[in-house]
Short mmCIF file of all heavy atoms in Angstrom, two decimals:
data_model
loop_
_atom_site.label_atom_id
_atom_site.label_comp_id
_atom_site.label_asym_id
_atom_site.label_seq_id
_atom_site.Cartn_x
_atom_site.Cartn_y
_atom_site.Cartn_z
N ARG A 77 -76.33 -11.76 11.23
CA ARG A 77 -75.34 -12.73 10.78
C ARG A 77 -75.90 -14.12 10.96
O ARG A 77 -76.89 -14.40 11.56
CB ARG A 77 -74.09 -12.69 11.88
CG ARG A 77 -73.49 -11.30 11.85
CD ARG A 77 -72.49 -11.03 10.74
NE ARG A 77 -71.91 -9.65 10.75
CZ ARG A 77 -70.87 -9.45 11.50
NH1 ARG A 77 -70.27 -10.30 12.20
NH2 ARG A 77 -70.43 -8.22 11.49
N LYS A 78 -75.16 -15.07 10.29
CA LYS A 78 -75.75 -16.44 10.31
C LYS A 78 -75.48 -17.26 11.56
O LYS A 78 -75.98 -18.31 11.76
CB LYS A 78 -75.15 -17.24 9.11
CG LYS A 78 -73.71 -17.33 9.10
CD LYS A 78 -73.18 -18.20 7.73
CE LYS A 78 -71.81 -18.57 7.89
NZ LYS A 78 -70.82 -17.46 7.74
N GLY A 79 -74.71 -16.68 12.43
CA GLY A 79 -74.38 -17.42 13.64
C GLY A 79 -74.12 -16.34 14.83
O GLY A 79 -73.86 -15.21 14.47
N ILE A 80 -74.25 -16.78 16.09
CA ILE A 80 -73.90 -16.01 17.23
C ILE A 80 -73.05 -16.77 18.17
O ILE A 80 -73.34 -17.89 18.46
CB ILE A 80 -75.21 -15.49 17.99
CG1 ILE A 80 -76.09 -14.76 17.07
CG2 ILE A 80 -74.79 -14.67 19.13
CD1 ILE A 80 -77.42 -14.14 17.77
N ILE A 81 -71.95 -16.09 18.59
CA ILE A 81 -71.16 -16.70 19.74
C ILE A 81 -71.58 -15.90 21.07
O ILE A 81 -71.27 -14.79 21.14
CB ILE A 81 -69.66 -16.60 19.41
CG1 ILE A 81 -69.48 -17.41 18.29
CG2 ILE A 81 -68.89 -17.03 20.62
CD1 ILE A 81 -68.15 -17.25 17.58
N PHE A 82 -72.16 -16.65 22.04
CA PHE A 82 -72.47 -16.01 23.24
C PHE A 82 -71.29 -16.17 24.21
O PHE A 82 -70.81 -17.24 24.49
CB PHE A 82 -73.75 -16.74 23.86
CG PHE A 82 -74.97 -16.58 23.02
CD1 PHE A 82 -75.35 -17.50 22.14
CD2 PHE A 82 -75.75 -15.38 23.18
CE1 PHE A 82 -76.53 -17.29 21.39
CE2 PHE A 82 -76.96 -15.26 22.43
CZ PHE A 82 -77.29 -16.18 21.58
N ASP A 83 -70.75 -15.03 24.65
CA ASP A 83 -69.51 -15.01 25.48
C ASP A 83 -69.95 -14.35 26.88
O ASP A 83 -70.30 -13.21 27.00
CB ASP A 83 -68.63 -14.05 24.78
CG ASP A 83 -67.44 -13.62 25.62
OD1 ASP A 83 -67.18 -14.09 26.69
OD2 ASP A 83 -66.72 -12.79 25.08
N GLY A 84 -69.85 -15.29 27.92
CA GLY A 84 -70.19 -14.79 29.17
C GLY A 84 -71.65 -14.76 29.52
O GLY A 84 -72.09 -14.07 30.49
N PHE A 85 -72.41 -15.32 28.78
CA PHE A 85 -73.81 -15.47 28.86
C PHE A 85 -74.28 -16.75 28.28
O PHE A 85 -73.79 -17.15 27.17
CB PHE A 85 -74.50 -14.25 28.11
CG PHE A 85 -75.93 -14.44 28.04
CD1 PHE A 85 -76.82 -13.97 29.06
CD2 PHE A 85 -76.54 -15.06 26.99
CE1 PHE A 85 -78.20 -14.14 28.96
CE2 PHE A 85 -77.97 -15.29 26.95
CZ PHE A 85 -78.77 -14.76 28.05
N PRO A 86 -75.21 -17.45 28.87
CA PRO A 86 -75.88 -17.33 30.09
C PRO A 86 -74.97 -17.64 31.30
O PRO A 86 -74.13 -18.43 31.18
CB PRO A 86 -77.09 -18.19 30.07
CG PRO A 86 -76.72 -19.26 29.19
CD PRO A 86 -75.81 -18.73 28.25
N ARG A 87 -75.31 -16.99 32.53
CA ARG A 87 -74.53 -17.42 33.67
C ARG A 87 -75.50 -17.90 34.83
O ARG A 87 -74.92 -18.24 35.85
CB ARG A 87 -73.85 -16.18 34.21
CG ARG A 87 -72.59 -15.81 33.43
CD ARG A 87 -71.74 -14.65 34.07
NE ARG A 87 -71.00 -14.01 32.97
CZ ARG A 87 -69.93 -13.27 33.21
NH1 ARG A 87 -69.58 -13.08 34.37
NH2 ARG A 87 -69.35 -12.76 32.19
N THR A 88 -76.72 -17.77 34.68
CA THR A 88 -77.62 -18.39 35.63
C THR A 88 -78.65 -19.19 34.93
O THR A 88 -78.79 -19.13 33.72
CB THR A 88 -78.40 -17.23 36.33
OG1 THR A 88 -79.20 -16.63 35.37
CG2 THR A 88 -77.44 -16.25 36.98
N ILE A 89 -79.32 -20.10 35.70
CA ILE A 89 -80.41 -20.94 35.17
C ILE A 89 -81.43 -20.07 34.49
O ILE A 89 -81.99 -20.32 33.40
CB ILE A 89 -81.02 -21.87 36.28
CG1 ILE A 89 -79.97 -22.82 36.74
CG2 ILE A 89 -82.24 -22.66 35.61
CD1 ILE A 89 -79.62 -23.90 35.82
N GLY A 90 -81.81 -18.98 35.24
CA GLY A 90 -82.85 -17.99 34.68
C GLY A 90 -82.47 -17.48 33.32
O GLY A 90 -83.30 -17.40 32.41
N GLN A 91 -81.10 -17.17 33.10
CA GLN A 91 -80.69 -16.68 31.86
C GLN A 91 -80.71 -17.78 30.72
O GLN A 91 -81.12 -17.55 29.65
CB GLN A 91 -79.33 -16.09 31.95
CG GLN A 91 -79.22 -14.83 32.78
CD GLN A 91 -77.77 -14.24 32.87
OE1 GLN A 91 -76.89 -14.76 32.17
NE2 GLN A 91 -77.58 -13.41 33.87
N ALA A 92 -80.30 -18.95 31.25
CA ALA A 92 -80.37 -20.11 30.19
C ALA A 92 -81.81 -20.37 29.76
O ALA A 92 -81.94 -20.58 28.59
CB ALA A 92 -79.72 -21.38 30.83
N GLN A 93 -82.64 -20.40 30.64
CA GLN A 93 -84.12 -20.53 30.29
C GLN A 93 -84.63 -19.44 29.43
O GLN A 93 -85.34 -19.69 28.47
CB GLN A 93 -84.95 -20.76 31.62
CG GLN A 93 -84.70 -22.04 32.40
CD GLN A 93 -85.33 -22.00 33.74
OE1 GLN A 93 -85.57 -21.13 34.36
NE2 GLN A 93 -85.59 -23.31 34.18
N GLY A 94 -84.25 -18.25 29.85
CA GLY A 94 -84.68 -17.04 29.06
C GLY A 94 -84.09 -17.12 27.70
O GLY A 94 -84.87 -16.76 26.70
N LEU A 95 -82.95 -17.54 27.53
CA LEU A 95 -82.31 -17.58 26.23
C LEU A 95 -82.98 -18.67 25.38
O LEU A 95 -83.37 -18.45 24.17
CB LEU A 95 -80.80 -17.99 26.24
CG LEU A 95 -80.04 -18.17 24.95
CD1 LEU A 95 -80.17 -16.97 24.07
CD2 LEU A 95 -78.60 -18.67 25.27
N ASP A 96 -83.38 -19.81 25.94
CA ASP A 96 -83.96 -20.88 25.34
C ASP A 96 -85.36 -20.35 24.78
O ASP A 96 -85.85 -20.64 23.64
CB ASP A 96 -84.23 -22.09 26.17
CG ASP A 96 -82.91 -23.00 26.26
OD1 ASP A 96 -82.00 -22.76 25.41
OD2 ASP A 96 -82.86 -23.80 27.13
N LYS A 97 -86.01 -19.70 25.59
CA LYS A 97 -87.35 -19.02 25.23
C LYS A 97 -87.24 -18.06 24.09
O LYS A 97 -88.01 -18.09 23.16
CB LYS A 97 -87.99 -18.31 26.46
CG LYS A 97 -89.37 -17.82 26.37
CD LYS A 97 -90.04 -17.69 27.70
CE LYS A 97 -91.41 -16.99 27.54
NZ LYS A 97 -91.22 -15.43 27.48
N ILE A 98 -86.23 -17.20 24.18
CA ILE A 98 -86.04 -16.18 23.12
C ILE A 98 -85.80 -16.95 21.81
O ILE A 98 -86.44 -16.66 20.71
CB ILE A 98 -84.89 -15.30 23.43
CG1 ILE A 98 -85.23 -14.31 24.56
CG2 ILE A 98 -84.50 -14.41 22.21
CD1 ILE A 98 -83.97 -13.63 25.22
N LEU A 99 -84.97 -17.89 21.83
CA LEU A 99 -84.67 -18.67 20.59
C LEU A 99 -85.79 -19.48 20.04
O LEU A 99 -86.01 -19.48 18.84
CB LEU A 99 -83.36 -19.58 20.81
CG LEU A 99 -82.05 -18.84 21.10
CD1 LEU A 99 -80.98 -19.88 21.35
CD2 LEU A 99 -81.69 -17.98 19.87
N THR A 100 -86.53 -20.08 20.95
CA THR A 100 -87.67 -20.96 20.55
C THR A 100 -88.64 -20.07 19.71
O THR A 100 -89.24 -20.49 18.75
CB THR A 100 -88.28 -21.60 21.79
OG1 THR A 100 -87.32 -22.37 22.42
CG2 THR A 100 -89.48 -22.47 21.30
N GLU A 101 -88.83 -18.91 20.31
CA GLU A 101 -89.85 -17.93 19.57
C GLU A 101 -89.37 -17.56 18.26
O GLU A 101 -90.16 -17.21 17.39
CB GLU A 101 -90.04 -16.59 20.45
CG GLU A 101 -91.03 -16.86 21.73
CD GLU A 101 -90.84 -15.79 22.66
OE1 GLU A 101 -90.16 -14.71 22.53
OE2 GLU A 101 -91.57 -15.89 23.75
N LEU A 102 -88.16 -17.69 18.00
CA LEU A 102 -87.59 -17.42 16.61
C LEU A 102 -87.28 -18.68 15.76
O LEU A 102 -86.68 -18.69 14.83
CB LEU A 102 -86.18 -16.70 16.86
CG LEU A 102 -86.26 -15.25 17.44
CD1 LEU A 102 -84.92 -14.76 17.75
CD2 LEU A 102 -86.98 -14.28 16.52
N ASN A 103 -87.80 -19.88 16.36
CA ASN A 103 -87.68 -21.05 15.71
C ASN A 103 -86.13 -21.55 15.65
O ASN A 103 -85.79 -22.07 14.70
CB ASN A 103 -88.19 -21.05 14.31
CG ASN A 103 -89.33 -21.98 14.17
OD1 ASN A 103 -89.41 -23.03 14.77
ND2 ASN A 103 -90.32 -21.59 13.43
N ASP A 104 -85.49 -21.21 16.64
CA ASP A 104 -84.04 -21.47 16.69
C ASP A 104 -83.66 -22.08 17.89
O ASP A 104 -84.53 -22.37 18.89
CB ASP A 104 -83.33 -20.09 16.52
CG ASP A 104 -81.94 -20.12 15.94
OD1 ASP A 104 -81.44 -21.33 15.94
OD2 ASP A 104 -81.33 -19.19 15.64
N LYS A 105 -82.33 -22.59 18.16
CA LYS A 105 -81.95 -23.27 19.34
C LYS A 105 -80.41 -23.15 19.48
O LYS A 105 -79.64 -22.73 18.53
CB LYS A 105 -82.25 -24.70 19.20
CG LYS A 105 -81.63 -25.46 17.96
CD LYS A 105 -81.73 -26.87 18.14
CE LYS A 105 -81.12 -27.59 16.81
NZ LYS A 105 -80.00 -26.96 16.05
N ILE A 106 -79.94 -23.52 20.68
CA ILE A 106 -78.50 -23.57 20.91
C ILE A 106 -77.89 -24.82 20.25
O ILE A 106 -78.49 -25.94 20.43
CB ILE A 106 -78.12 -23.53 22.43
CG1 ILE A 106 -78.50 -22.15 23.05
CG2 ILE A 106 -76.75 -23.94 22.70
CD1 ILE A 106 -77.56 -21.00 22.45
N ASP A 107 -76.69 -24.73 19.54
CA ASP A 107 -76.27 -25.92 18.98
C ASP A 107 -75.06 -26.51 19.82
O ASP A 107 -74.89 -27.74 19.74
CB ASP A 107 -75.56 -25.55 17.63
CG ASP A 107 -76.63 -24.99 16.63
OD1 ASP A 107 -77.32 -25.88 16.00
OD2 ASP A 107 -76.85 -23.78 16.53
N CYS A 108 -74.45 -25.72 20.62
CA CYS A 108 -73.27 -26.24 21.29
C CYS A 108 -72.81 -25.32 22.44
O CYS A 108 -72.99 -24.12 22.40
CB CYS A 108 -72.13 -26.09 20.23
SG CYS A 108 -70.59 -26.52 20.58
N VAL A 109 -72.43 -26.01 23.55
CA VAL A 109 -72.03 -25.22 24.74
C VAL A 109 -70.70 -25.73 25.21
O VAL A 109 -70.45 -26.88 25.45
CB VAL A 109 -73.04 -25.63 26.01
CG1 VAL A 109 -72.67 -24.73 27.18
CG2 VAL A 109 -74.48 -25.20 25.51
#
Side-chain angles (χ1 to χ4, degrees):
R77 304 276 178 89
K78 62 181 188 290
I80 300 179
I81 298 166
F82 295 95
D83 161 13
F85 171 89
R87 291 194 199 190
T88 65
I89 297 288
Q91 291 178 15
Q93 288 169 336
L95 177 62
D96 281 345
K97 185 160 170 274
I98 292 167
L99 291 175
T100 304
E101 280 166 9
L102 297 167
N103 244 325
D104 205 344
K105 61 167 177 31
I106 291 296
D107 298 280
C108 176
V109 183

